[in-house]
Short mmCIF file of all heavy atoms in Angstrom, two decimals:
data_model
loop_
_atom_site.label_atom_id
_atom_site.label_comp_id
_atom_site.label_asym_id
_atom_site.label_seq_id
_atom_site.Cartn_x
_atom_site.Cartn_y
_atom_site.Cartn_z
N CYS D 280 173.83 117.87 106.95
CA CYS D 280 173.86 117.16 108.21
C CYS D 280 174.66 117.95 109.25
O CYS D 280 175.80 118.34 108.98
CB CYS D 280 174.51 115.80 107.97
SG CYS D 280 174.05 114.60 109.18
N SER D 281 174.07 118.18 110.39
CA SER D 281 174.77 118.96 111.41
C SER D 281 175.94 118.16 111.98
O SER D 281 175.95 116.93 111.92
CB SER D 281 173.81 119.32 112.54
OG SER D 281 173.55 118.16 113.31
N PHE D 282 176.88 118.86 112.55
CA PHE D 282 178.03 118.22 113.18
C PHE D 282 177.56 117.24 114.24
O PHE D 282 178.01 116.10 114.33
CB PHE D 282 178.94 119.29 113.81
CG PHE D 282 180.06 118.72 114.62
CD1 PHE D 282 181.17 118.18 114.00
CD2 PHE D 282 180.00 118.71 116.01
CE1 PHE D 282 182.21 117.63 114.75
CE2 PHE D 282 181.02 118.17 116.77
CZ PHE D 282 182.14 117.63 116.13
N LYS D 283 176.58 117.70 115.03
CA LYS D 283 176.09 116.88 116.13
C LYS D 283 175.46 115.58 115.63
O LYS D 283 175.75 114.49 116.14
CB LYS D 283 175.06 117.70 116.92
CG LYS D 283 174.85 117.18 118.30
CD LYS D 283 173.96 118.12 119.09
CE LYS D 283 173.33 117.34 120.22
NZ LYS D 283 172.13 117.98 120.72
N ALA D 284 174.63 115.70 114.59
CA ALA D 284 173.94 114.51 114.06
C ALA D 284 174.96 113.54 113.46
O ALA D 284 174.88 112.32 113.65
CB ALA D 284 172.92 114.92 113.01
N MET D 285 175.93 114.10 112.75
CA MET D 285 176.96 113.26 112.11
C MET D 285 177.80 112.55 113.17
O MET D 285 178.11 111.36 113.05
CB MET D 285 177.85 114.17 111.25
CG MET D 285 178.82 113.42 110.41
SD MET D 285 177.98 112.58 109.10
CE MET D 285 178.03 113.84 107.86
N LYS D 286 178.14 113.29 114.22
CA LYS D 286 178.95 112.71 115.29
C LYS D 286 178.18 111.56 115.95
O LYS D 286 178.74 110.48 116.19
CB LYS D 286 179.28 113.79 116.32
CG LYS D 286 180.23 113.32 117.38
CD LYS D 286 180.70 114.47 118.24
CE LYS D 286 181.22 113.98 119.56
NZ LYS D 286 181.46 115.06 120.49
N GLN D 287 176.91 111.79 116.19
CA GLN D 287 176.07 110.76 116.80
C GLN D 287 176.05 109.50 115.93
O GLN D 287 176.17 108.38 116.41
CB GLN D 287 174.65 111.32 116.98
CG GLN D 287 173.72 110.39 117.75
CD GLN D 287 174.29 110.02 119.12
OE1 GLN D 287 174.98 110.81 119.74
NE2 GLN D 287 174.04 108.80 119.55
N ARG D 288 175.94 109.72 114.64
CA ARG D 288 175.88 108.59 113.72
C ARG D 288 177.19 107.78 113.75
O ARG D 288 177.21 106.57 113.73
CB ARG D 288 175.63 109.11 112.30
CG ARG D 288 174.85 108.12 111.47
CD ARG D 288 174.69 108.58 110.07
NE ARG D 288 173.73 109.67 109.91
CZ ARG D 288 173.45 110.21 108.72
NH1 ARG D 288 174.03 109.77 107.64
NH2 ARG D 288 172.58 111.19 108.62
N MET D 289 178.30 108.53 113.78
CA MET D 289 179.61 107.86 113.82
C MET D 289 179.75 107.05 115.11
O MET D 289 180.28 105.94 115.12
CB MET D 289 180.75 108.89 113.75
CG MET D 289 180.92 109.56 112.42
SD MET D 289 181.12 108.39 111.08
CE MET D 289 182.72 107.74 111.46
N ILE D 290 179.29 107.62 116.21
CA ILE D 290 179.40 106.92 117.49
C ILE D 290 178.59 105.63 117.45
O ILE D 290 179.06 104.57 117.85
CB ILE D 290 178.94 107.83 118.66
CG1 ILE D 290 179.95 108.96 118.84
CG2 ILE D 290 178.80 107.03 119.95
CD1 ILE D 290 179.55 110.01 119.85
N GLU D 291 177.39 105.73 116.88
CA GLU D 291 176.55 104.53 116.82
C GLU D 291 177.17 103.46 115.94
O GLU D 291 177.15 102.27 116.26
CB GLU D 291 175.15 104.90 116.32
CG GLU D 291 174.33 105.53 117.43
CD GLU D 291 172.99 106.05 116.96
OE1 GLU D 291 172.62 105.83 115.79
OE2 GLU D 291 172.32 106.71 117.79
N THR D 292 177.75 103.90 114.83
CA THR D 292 178.41 102.94 113.94
C THR D 292 179.55 102.25 114.67
O THR D 292 179.69 101.03 114.64
CB THR D 292 178.98 103.66 112.69
OG1 THR D 292 177.92 104.34 112.06
CG2 THR D 292 179.61 102.68 111.73
N PHE D 293 180.34 103.07 115.37
CA PHE D 293 181.46 102.51 116.11
C PHE D 293 180.97 101.52 117.17
O PHE D 293 181.47 100.41 117.30
CB PHE D 293 182.29 103.62 116.77
CG PHE D 293 183.11 103.12 117.92
CD1 PHE D 293 184.27 102.39 117.68
CD2 PHE D 293 182.69 103.30 119.23
CE1 PHE D 293 185.00 101.88 118.74
CE2 PHE D 293 183.41 102.79 120.29
CZ PHE D 293 184.58 102.08 120.05
N GLU D 294 179.96 101.94 117.94
CA GLU D 294 179.48 101.10 119.03
C GLU D 294 178.96 99.77 118.50
O GLU D 294 179.27 98.71 119.04
CB GLU D 294 178.38 101.82 119.84
CG GLU D 294 178.95 102.93 120.69
CD GLU D 294 177.94 103.58 121.63
OE1 GLU D 294 176.72 103.49 121.35
OE2 GLU D 294 178.38 104.17 122.62
#
Side-chain angles (χ1 to χ4, degrees):
C280 203
S281 73
F282 173 76
K283 200 173 157 201
M285 187 72 90
K286 186 171 159 190
Q287 186 56 32
R288 211 184 287 181
M289 289 305 291
I290 291 174
E291 282 174 7
T292 303
F293 159 76
E294 287 187 337

